[in-house]
Each structure stands twice: as C-alpha cells, then as structure tokens.
Amino acid sequence: MDSRKLQRSLLSHAVVVALAATIAGPALAQSTSTENEAPTTLSAITVTAQKREEALQDVPIVINVLPEQLLQDTGVRDIKDMQVLVPGLTVTSTQSAAQTTARIRGIGTVGDNPGLESSVGIVIDGVYRARNSVGFGDLGEMERIEVLKGPQGTVFGKNTSAGVINVITRRPSYTQAVEGEVTVGNYGLLGVSGSYNDALSDNAAFRIFATKRKRDGVDNVDTSGGPRQETDDGDQNYHSLRGQLLLEPTSNLNINFIADYTSREENCCVSMTTFRGPTAAIIDALTPGGEGIIPVVDLDRRLAYANRTTEQDLKDKGVSAEVNWTTPWANDAVLTSITAFRDWEAITSIDFDYSGADILYRPPNPDGSLVKFENFSQELRLTGSSDRIDWMVGLFYSDEDLGRNDSYYFGAAYEPYLSTAVASQVLPAIAAQLAPLGLTVNTANPATFLSQVSGRPFGTNFTGQGALDRYEQNAKSAAIFTNNTFHVTDALDVTLGLRYTREKKTLQSDYTNPNGAQGCAATLANPAARVGGALAQRINGFGSLPPALQQQLLAGLVPAVAPQVAGFMCLPWANIAHNGRSTFQERTEKEWSGTLKVAYDWSDDVMTYVSASRGYKAGGFNLDRVQVGITPVDDTAFDGEFVDSYELGLKTNWADGNLLFNAALFHQTYEDFQLNSFLGTAFVVRSIPEVTSMGIDAEVLWQTRMPGLMLQGGVTYAETEYGDDIVPDLPLLPGNQMSFAPKWSGNASATYQWDIGSALQGRFNIGAKYMSEYNTGSDLKPQKMQDAYTVLNARLGFGRQDQRWMLEFWGQNLTDETYKQVGIDAPIQTGSFNAFLGAPRTYGVTLRMRY
C-alpha cells in the first residue's frame, strides 16, 4: 500500500472510531445525569449558515461558532485575531494591511493583486465584502462569528469556494444601555470604545458604536539615513464609527439601516531578511553607514531596513438596509431584501527593495499608489417552510468598480545596484570564456557597466518615476439561487441547493513611463551593438586586436549575453515597450454551482450527514505589468476556479446538550486553482490544473459539570496538495503540500468563571493555536518554510456579577513566538529571502463598563 492510500485508510479508520465513540457517548452521559443538573445551553446554539435561524447541530455543514463572550475573552477585534480560535484557518498580511488573505484548510487566495477575488468570503451583517482585505478592520460589537468550511457558493455566492466568515454584529434593542471600554498595553497601546443603545419609540430603536485605537509599531526599522523618519513599523492608528436604526412599524415588518466608517492611517509593512544572498554585499556598499541588510539573520530582533516610508491610509465606508417582511403568503413566508453600497480605498507606500539602500520605492500618493472599490449589491430572497420542506429562493446582483493606480520610483542607488549585480554575473562568465585566448576582462567599477551598454551618462538611465499605470475594472454579477431541505421522514432530511451565476468583467489598462525609460530605450535600439560595445570596452587590449578577430569574439559572446542584459535594462517598471500601451479586455462567465446533502438523525443526540458540493470562483485579470522576456503581454486573463467537495459528517450532543462533539471527513478537488505568485518583478495569477485537499475536522464544546467551566477545542488534519502537472517556473509544486497549508492545526481554550462573595466575580480564559510546519511561499522554495509553532493567549478579569464593570489583564502570544506569515524572494536580489512576521507578544489591561 502506498503512503497516500495508507493515509486515506488511517483517516477513514479515525472517522469510524469517532463515530462509534460518539454514538455510545451520549447514552453514557445521559445515564449519569441528575435531575438537578444545569439546563442545556450548548445544544441550543443557533446559526444562520443557510440564511435562516437553525440549531447548530441540525445544520449539515462544518461550522465553528464564536459567540460574543468567547470573542471578548480572546481579544478578537478583526478577522486576523480570530484565527487562534479556528483550526484550519490562517490569515496573513504582506505589503500592507490592504493585502490581507484568509485561508481555510490550506485553500485561499494570495493577496497583492486586487484583480484576484477571495476564496474565503467575508460577509458582515449580510453584506458580502469584495476582498478579504476590505473586511479587515475593527469589527466592533459582535454577536457572533460563524466560520463555514468548504464551498458555500449556493447560499453565499460565487467567491466562497473555500468557505465563509460570517460576522453578525449586535443590533439595536429597546433597552437603554451605555457600554464603554478602555485598554492600555505595551508598545504604547491605548484604545477606547463605547456604544449607546436606546429606544426612540415602541417600534424604533438605534445603536451607535465608536472606537479609537493607537499603538506604536512592533517592528524595529533601521532607516539608513532616510528620508524615512519612523523607526518602527506595524503600528495602529484607526478609528471606526457605526450607527444602526431599527424600525418595526408592524409586527410583520422590520427594517435595519446600518452606516459605518473606518479610517486607518498607519505604517505597514516591512519585512525581515531570512537569507542573505550575494547581492546583500552590494546593497551594504550602497547604503550610508555600510549596512543595508541585517549582517546576521536574527528574526527575534524584528529588525528591518527601510529608507523609504511605508505609510498607508485606508478608508472604508458603507450603508446598508435589511428589510424582513413576514408575508401573508405560503405559510407566512419571509421576504428579505438587503441593499448595500460600499466604498473602500487604500493609499499605500512601499520600500520595494526592503533594504537601507535607496533602490526602488512607491510613495504614498493617490496618483500613483491607490486601490479602490465601489460596490453596489442587492439581494432578495423568499424563505418559507411547511411540515415537509424548508425552502428558499433568491436573486442577487452586484456592480463593482475597481480602480488601481500603480507606480514605481527609482532611487539614486538603483542604477549602481542593478549595474553591479548584472556585471557580477556577466563579466566573470565572459572572462572565463576569454581566458584560454590569453585575454582578460576589466571588472573594476561595475556600477558603470549598464551606462556603457546604453551609451548614456552614468546616473541618467533610471531616474524619477519609472512607471505609472492605471487600471479600471468593472464586474457585474447576477445570480438566481435556491436552497431547500426536504424532511423525507422525521429522521431523514435531504437538502438540495442550486445557483446560476452570470458574471461580466471589463478591464481598461493604460501604461506609461513618465521618465521615458531612457536606459531601456537606448539599449533596445540595437541590443547586440549596445551590449557588444560595452563588452569591447571591458576586454583588455580589445582595440589592438585585428578587426576580424574582434568581430569573431563578439559574434561568439554577444548572442548569449545580449538578451540577458537587455532583460535587466528593461524590467517591467523600466520597459519602454509598455510606454503608451492601452488595452481593453472583457470576459463573461455563466456557471452553475450547487449542493446535495443527506442528513439522518439516529436519535435526538446523534446526526450524521453526507454532502456533495460544486463551488465556483470567478476568473479575472492580472492588474500588473506582465511580460514574457521584454515583450508585454496584452492578455492578462485567468480562468474561473472550480471545486468538487465531499463530506461525511457527524454532529452529537452529550451530557443533556452541554457537550457537543462534531467531526467531518472531507475531500475537495480544485480545478484551475488560481495561484498568485511573485515572479520577482510582478504578481501573476496562473491556473493550476488540480489541487486536492482531504482530511478531517473535529470540534468539541463542553460546558462541564463544574459550574462556570467551559472547554472548547478543535483539530484539522488536511492533506492539501498540488496535482502532478508541471507548472512553468514553479518546479517544486507537482505532488507537494500546498503553501500556507499545515497538515495539522488545532486550538484549545478553557474559560472559568466564579463568584467572589455576593457581588463580584472572576473570569479566566486561556487558549492556544498550534500549526505544524508549512511553507509560506507560493513557489514552495525551502527557504520559506515555517517550523511548527504554538501561539498562547490568556485573560484574567475581575468585576461585578451584574457586569457593571470588569477589569481584565490580558496577553497575546505570551511565549513571544516568532513566526513567518509570508515568505518572499527579496525583489531583484538573487538568492536573498525575506518574510513578513506575525505579531509579537502583547499585553495590557482592559476596563469594561456597562450601564
């Protein structure tokens, strides 16, 4: 038996054992229960995974439910914080907070290309967010978060092929309430938030929430003389405001209006050197003070080098209206309408070389560094039920405008750096070829080599703004969907869901080189002659050789060298061939997705199910300069992504509903998986023919017999592997575990609450998330591996039993684990690698007040 068949056999046996143990467990737990036992609570947990309120244990989907109290206990404020509570979920950021990506079971979408849509959908109060990064921010007062694993496109839409993060915030109520929170912590953290809820009348209420948070950076920065002034990075400086108005004019009609605004003005994100390559010495020589990259790699120092700023300015705002009307039709079917408009933009900057040398950068101005989304969406659905069927039909429409302004600026060190790096590759090879002839090559002053190639004065080949590109994309999506559960018998349910989606995208791309790309233009005028002339100047005694021998030597040397040198002279941001280009592309997709689930209740406490789903994620366009060699590529489209997913699941209640154990065996096959990879000069999405993900998910929730003690934990084992197809430029992919896909991940937390006297109480929570080793780069280079690690969080609070106030002492990543979020090839630095790190240890005190 080969290793893959053995692993599948072990997984199958594990599920059988879990099924047997769980079927026996409830009966054993019930036999030891007493009449005075606390009433059941966990089995009554409700979710809206199928856009209707249902008990968690009745829904045949793998769902991790994170209630409000657990979110508070673990300090969750955004989707990145919550990954400690969900096995199989990873959330990473790279060049800025605007490039944040969520992955489930190893499946997700690498960021850095706004044209690439999410594999894990984020829905906040029923409104789909265009990208993961658009949903990254302070989520405010949350009622709960539901993490749905596996394709959810039938109900939630086209871009949920790996799962959904469904966020439900607290809605207005008719009780007057004032809540406030003050937090102080290390790195100069200061956060305040507050909310006010009240009734306007017997049928109207409102809620207002506001927060402000500031913190110094968690990463140290050597500015190497600037012009950057900030000596730290990864700081926080944001504020958010959300208002809600609930109207209930009749008992059959409610309308909830939401308006929100968030602003983040921060510095993010630097990366740390993980491997020093041969170009590191060149960078050091071009950096004031002689140190442009850390001399000895030490990630625990969290020391980055950046002479240019990483300022970012993110604005997110939107309005929505949700209407629910209990109609007089079809046994009081409910008509729901959700109308939303969202406007998001990010102005970012980057020190593109991640070093102290002034090589390549992008300043924070909207003309040359902007990503913006404007999205209108409308969903209509009619939901009803009878004795034998729970049904839903719906329509969805969205109109999204995406704009990107992209630019590159050359620093003073760009030309000497690139010239030295190229000369160090080319000239020694030429010298080796000429040595048998008794000829030598002058390798002195390599910084002038490219100016010899172009024939232009040194320092004039690459100056100012090299590239300025504008992309305008429009995406219109329309869908009709239905999801129906047939109660065949009292124990047997069959769910059938279907969705038809039509998507049309258009892209207008305009490219310019404001500085004229003069070095590249001069070289491309006659590459052979230009490179040959430069070599002639470097071969000692070349002028004294007979003309015939001169021509013979150059004829043997130039053809192999000229394309390489021209390629470096004409990297995408310096390529004159892009200047003045304008392209228009469009694509239309019409696709079906759906699901079939069969669930059987063996008893009131045991349910098993089997499901099959077909998921879909739309294709799109690369919003970047793409070229083959030095030839621009006009067609930057990539195909849609599809997944066939199968699950065998188990949901059980033990101890009269106070202990839940759920597990599922899954197998997912992705076709044309959209992999976004950094080629050293551009981000390009390529379709991988096949990716498979199979494994097991398991979760336990236990409200123990010990009053006040709650235990929660879960584990995911996932073999998420590329197929055997060869992928150009990515030789390490075939047959190997995917990047960002640990085989094992697990979490566990314990919460204990106890009374102190007659008026006070204490509350303690401790939780941890474990990840086995995985690769943090899309190309699977071994330099990007991350060893297994565990993140540990804890919180201890004291306050009044009526929750009027609570003082909490907390810490996150208490063991100060240093780990990579994403590993990258250092741009234009052969052999050097960098990584964006996860957050270090943070700790502080929070005071909560409620009246």
Side-chain angles (χ1 to χ4, degrees):
M1 182 181 293
D2 62 30
S3 60
R4 185 169 298 183
K5 289 181 179 178
L6 176 60
Q7 290 167 339
R8 290 176 179 171
S9 177
L10 290 174
L11 283 173
S12 300
H13 280 85
V15 172
V16 171
V17 171
L19 284 167
T22 309
I23 292 172
L28 179 61
Q30 288 173 2
S31 67
T32 59
S33 64
T34 66
E35 293 181 359
N36 296 324
E37 189 171 326
T40 297
T41 56
L42 296 182
S43 62
I45 294 175
T46 60
V47 296
T48 53
Q50 298 187 116
K51 295 195 174 177
R52 65 168 73 239
E53 283 203 1
E54 299 172 285
L56 168 66
Q57 298 302 86
D58 292 339
V59 183
I61 300 172
V62 177
I63 309 172
N64 294 99
V65 182
L66 312 177
E68 178 182 13
Q69 187 61 61
L70 182 60
L71 296 172
Q72 285 189 3
D73 287 339
T74 50
V76 172
R77 298 181 182 277
D78 56 45
I79 61 171
K80 205 168 188 180
D81 293 333
M82 61 177 282
Q83 61 185 318
V84 75
L85 295 171
V86 182
L89 172 68
T90 59
V91 184
T92 59
S93 298
T94 52
Q95 295 177 358
S96 76
Q99 293 164 345
T100 298
T101 302
R103 300 174 180 86
I104 291 177
R105 297 171 177 169
I107 300 295
T109 301
V110 181
D112 307 306
N113 182 345
L116 185 60
E117 300 184 75
S118 309
S119 296
V120 178
I122 294 180
V123 177
I124 302 177
D125 291 327
V127 179
Y128 173 77
R129 300 302 174 96
R131 303 292 187 275
N132 288 171
S133 54
V134 175
F136 176 68
D138 193 301
L139 298 172
E141 301 175 298
M142 291 172 281
E143 179 181 313
R144 69 181 183 278
I145 296 178
E146 303 167 2
V147 181
L148 286 60
K149 297 180 178 179
Q152 306 297 328
T154 305
V155 174
F156 283 93
K158 60 186 175 62
N159 292 327
T160 56
S161 56
V164 168
I165 298 174
N166 187 27
V167 179
I168 298 95
T169 66
R170 289 167 63 183
R171 299 185 70 174
S173 68
Y174 290 91
T175 302
Q176 186 181 51
V178 179
E179 298 183 28
E181 176 186 311
V182 179
T183 297
V184 295
N186 63 333
Y187 295 104
L189 171 64
L190 175 61
V192 295
S193 65
S195 67
Y196 180 70
N197 183 94
D198 205 351
L200 292 173
S201 66
D202 291 340
N203 55 12
F206 71 95
R207 188 175 198 92
I208 297 176
F209 168 81
T211 184
K212 170 72 175 176
R213 193 173 180 91
K214 296 191 69 174
R215 187 195 69 191
D216 297 334
V218 298
D219 298 320
N220 303 309
V221 180
D222 184 324
T223 63
S224 304
R228 179 188 176 116
Q229 299 297 313
E230 304 86 10
T231 57
D232 59 15
D233 197 86
D235 58 312
Q236 291 183 345
N237 179 24
Y238 65 78
H239 60 271
S240 296
L241 178 67
R242 181 167 65 232
Q244 298 187 66
L245 174 63
L246 174 64
L247 303 177
E248 297 181 305
T250 70
S251 60
N252 295 328
L253 177 65
N254 67 76
I255 307 168
N256 194 46
F257 297 97
I258 304 176
D260 64 89
Y261 175 82
T262 297
S263 173
R264 303 177 69 108
E265 297 173 358
E266 302 165 341
N267 295 281
C268 185
C269 302
V270 292
S271 68
M272 281 65 178
T273 298
T274 56
F275 287 88
R276 278 179 59 99
T279 58
I282 305 173
I283 289 176
D284 286 342
L286 292 172
T287 302
E291 187 176 297
I293 293 177
I294 193 168
V296 179
V297 173
D298 184 357
L299 294 182
D300 289 335
R301 290 181 65 186
R302 305 187 72 92
L303 177 61
Y305 290 73
N307 70 298
R308 292 286 179 172
T309 185
T310 54
E311 296 174 46
Q312 59 176 12
D313 185 355
L314 281 64
K315 299 290 188 290
D316 182 18
K317 56 190 175 183
V319 293
S320 67
E322 179 177 338
V323 180
N324 291 286
W325 175 38
T326 303
T327 72
W329 318 316
N331 292 328
D332 298 329
V334 176
L335 178 65
T336 299
S337 168
I338 301 178
T339 308
F341 177 79
R342 301 219 52 90
D343 185 341
W344 182 91
E345 69 174 38
I347 301 170
T348 60
S349 60
I350 183 174
D351 188 328
F352 195 72
D353 51 274
Y354 299 112
S355 77
D358 194 21
I359 298 177
L360 196 63
Y361 67 98
R362 184 182 299 136
N365 65 70
D367 183 64
S369 184
L370 172 71
V371 176
K372 61 180 181 179
F373 291 94
E374 292 183 355
N375 183 276
F376 169 80
S377 63
Q378 173 65 59
E379 180 171 336
L380 284 172
R381 63 179 185 266
L382 187 64
T383 306
S385 62
S386 65
D387 291 339
R388 287 299 177 186
I389 182 173
D390 298 327
W391 55 270
M392 178 179 69
V393 293
L395 300 170
F396 177 81
Y397 174 80
S398 71
D399 188 347
E400 174 189 283
D401 288 316
L402 162 60
R404 185 186 192 193
N405 298 338
D406 193 30
S407 65
Y408 291 87
Y409 285 73
F410 296 114
Y414 183 88
E415 181 172 342
Y417 167 75
L418 187 64
S419 183
T420 302
V422 173
S424 66
Q425 293 183 37
V426 172
L427 297 182
I430 296 296
Q433 289 181 261
L434 296 179
L437 302 178
L439 297 174
T440 60
V441 175
N442 179 11
T443 59
N445 200 12
T448 63
F449 178 63
L450 291 185
S451 62
Q452 292 174 316
V453 171
S454 69
R456 296 180 53 81
F458 172 74
T460 66
N461 289 284
F462 308 98
T463 59
Q465 188 173 7
L468 176 60
D469 303 332
R470 305 195 189 283
Y471 306 88
E472 296 291 339
Q473 176 178 289
N474 176 260
K476 291 183 173 65
S477 180
I480 181 170
F481 59 93
T482 182
N483 197 70
N484 311 285
T485 299
F486 301 90
H487 308 296
V488 180
T489 69
D490 290 343
L492 178 64
D493 288 346
V494 177
T495 299
L496 176 63
L498 201 60
R499 189 181 191 102
Y500 176 75
T501 301
R502 182 186 188 277
E503 171 128 355
K504 182 178 182 180
K505 288 182 178 176
T506 60
L507 174 65
Q508 176 67 43
S509 306
D510 298 296
Y511 307 86
T512 60
N513 293 71
N515 68 354
Q518 297 180 20
C520 172
T523 302
L524 291 186
N526 193 334
R530 298 307 321 165
V531 174
L535 294 179
Q537 295 178 60
R538 291 280 178 166
I539 300 173
N540 294 317
F542 184 86
S544 63
L545 298 176
L549 181 57
Q550 291 180 2
Q551 294 179 7
Q552 182 181 355
L553 288 176
L554 293 180
L557 297 174
V558 170
V561 176
Q564 178 185 4
V565 174
F568 281 110
M569 291 290 287
C570 301
L571 293 171
W573 45 77
N575 191 348
I576 187 63
H578 287 285
N579 192 38
R581 289 179 60 231
S582 182
T583 64
F584 179 80
Q585 301 177 73
E586 63 179 340
R587 59 182 292 120
T588 300
E589 299 177 14
K590 302 174 183 179
E591 301 294 345
W592 290 93
S593 55
T595 186
L596 175 65
K597 304 181 178 76
V598 179
Y600 190 80
D601 291 322
W602 300 92
S603 69
D604 291 340
D605 298 314
V606 179
M607 183 266 277
T608 58
Y609 68 90
V610 60
S611 70
S613 300
R614 173 75 164 173
Y616 157 65
K617 186 174 76 162
F621 306 102
N622 288 291
L623 273 60
D624 210 336
R625 290 192 173 193
V626 181
Q627 59 186 54
V628 175
I630 59 175
T631 304
V633 175
D634 289 338
D635 182 3
T636 67
F638 51 88
D639 292 331
E641 175 183 296
F642 299 89
V643 56
D644 292 322
S645 176
Y646 305 93
E647 286 187 6
L648 173 63
L650 165 75
K651 294 199 170 186
T652 65
N653 304 319
W654 295 7
D656 293 335
N658 286 309
L659 172 61
L660 308 184
F661 175 78
N662 300 330
L665 182 69
F666 62 86
H667 188 285
Q668 302 173 151
T669 301
Y670 287 80
E671 301 171 25
D672 293 327
F673 178 80
Q674 296 169 3
L675 180 69
N676 189 33
S677 53
F678 180 61
L679 303 183
T681 59
F683 289 96
V684 177
V685 179
R686 282 173 289 187
S687 295
I688 307 301
E690 182 179 276
V691 168
T692 59
S693 180
M694 62 181 180
I696 187 170
D697 270 309
E699 182 188 29
V700 173
L701 291 173
W702 187 14
Q703 183 172 282
T704 70
R705 292 179 181 274
M706 182 177 178
L709 178 61
M710 170 74 78
L711 303 178
Q712 180 263 347
V715 63
T716 296
Y717 175 79
E719 292 184 3
T720 304
E721 300 176 346
Y722 294 106
D724 295 328
D725 300 273
I726 302 300
V727 181
D729 303 319
L730 296 172
L732 299 178
L733 267 59
N736 285 321
Q737 185 83 357
M738 276 189 64
S739 52
F740 306 101
K743 285 193 174 182
W744 289 98
S745 66
N747 77 293
S749 69
T751 303
Y752 180 56
Q753 182 173 302
W754 69 98
D755 290 340
I756 304 173
S758 60
L760 301 179
Q761 69 176 7
R763 188 174 182 87
F764 175 69
N765 172 271
I766 185 169
K769 173 75 173 287
Y770 168 79
M771 305 271 276
S772 64
E773 69 173 7
Y774 60 98
N775 197 292
T776 64
S778 58
D779 53 15
L780 296 185
K781 290 181 180 178
Q783 295 89 343
K784 301 174 185 179
M785 283 297 296
Q786 168 60 50
D787 293 335
Y789 67 94
T790 300
V791 174
L792 178 67
N793 298 342
R795 185 173 295 248
L796 175 64
F798 299 95
R800 282 179 47 158
Q801 293 180 11
D802 61 7
Q803 299 186 338
R804 284 296 181 91
W805 63 267
M806 176 73 76
L807 185 65
E808 301 171 347
F809 302 86
W810 54 267
Q812 295 182 310
N813 192 6
L814 284 172
T815 59
D816 202 18
E817 188 77 37
T818 301
Y819 60 95
K820 304 170 190 173
Q821 289 190 84
V822 179
I824 62 170
D825 293 75
I828 57 174
Q829 299 172 50
T830 303
S832 290
F833 296 88
N834 283 35
F836 299 93
L837 301 184
R841 175 171 51 223
T842 56
Y843 53 85
V845 181
T846 296
L847 174 64
R848 301 183 194 275
M849 296 159 288
R850 181 179 297 176
Y851 297 96

